[in-house]
Amino acid sequence: MRLNQMEFFVADLTGAHTRIPLAVRPYLADWTSDGAGIVYLSQDITPQDFSRVGASLARAVRIANRDGSADRELFSFSGGGLSDLVVVGYP
C-alpha cells in the first residue's frame, strides 16, 4: 500500500472488514473517546513531496461520525507539520 492509498477500515472479532468512507484520505486515525466518531489527520501530500525538506504528512485534523458521515475539518495548519495524533476527550 502506498501513502496515497490509505483508507480507514474497521475489523470485527470475526475478521470481517468494513471500509469507512471519509471525505479525504486519512494519515492517522482513532476513535473519539466515546466511540461515536473518528478523529483523523488528513493526508494531503503526495509521495513525491517527501523529498522536500520539512514536508509533513498532514495539515488538518478532521472528525466524522462512526459511519463516515458528517465529516468536517476541526482545524488546520497551512504550513503543515502534523505528524501524530492524540485523542484527548473530544466530546
Side-chain angles (χ1 to χ4, degrees), residues 68-81:
S69 64
D71 192 314
R72 65 196 181 283
E73 185 177 288
L74 293 176
F75 60 90
S76 65
F77 295 99
S78 60

Side-chain angles (χ1 to χ4, degrees), residues 1-7 24-27 43-48 50 57:
M1 178 180 288
R2 295 188 304 263
L3 283 172
N4 62 351
Q5 292 177 325
M6 289 184 182
E7 295 180 338
V24 296
R25 294 200 182 275
Y27 165 57
Q43 183 187 105
D44 63 350
I45 69 168
T46 65
Q48 293 79 16
F50 286 114
L57 290 174

Side-chain angles (χ1 to χ4, degrees), residues 37-58:
I38 302 162
V39 63
Y40 68 101
L41 298 178
S42 62
Q43 183 187 105
D44 63 350
I45 69 168
T46 65
Q48 293 79 16
D49 290 332
F50 286 114
S51 62
R52 291 192 344 255
V53 174
S56 68
L57 290 174

Side-chain angles (χ1 to χ4, degrees), residues 53-69:
V53 174
S56 68
L57 290 174
R59 293 190 181 145
V61 175
R62 300 184 65 89
I63 190 166
N65 291 338
R66 186 177 184 87
D67 63 358
S69 64

Side-chain angles (χ1 to χ4, degrees), residues 5-29:
Q5 292 177 325
M6 289 184 182
E7 295 180 338
F8 190 76
F9 286 84
V10 175
D12 64 24
L13 295 176
T14 68
H17 294 79
T18 303
R19 181 182 168 276
I20 305 296
L22 298 172
V24 296
R25 294 200 182 275
Y27 165 57
L28 289 173

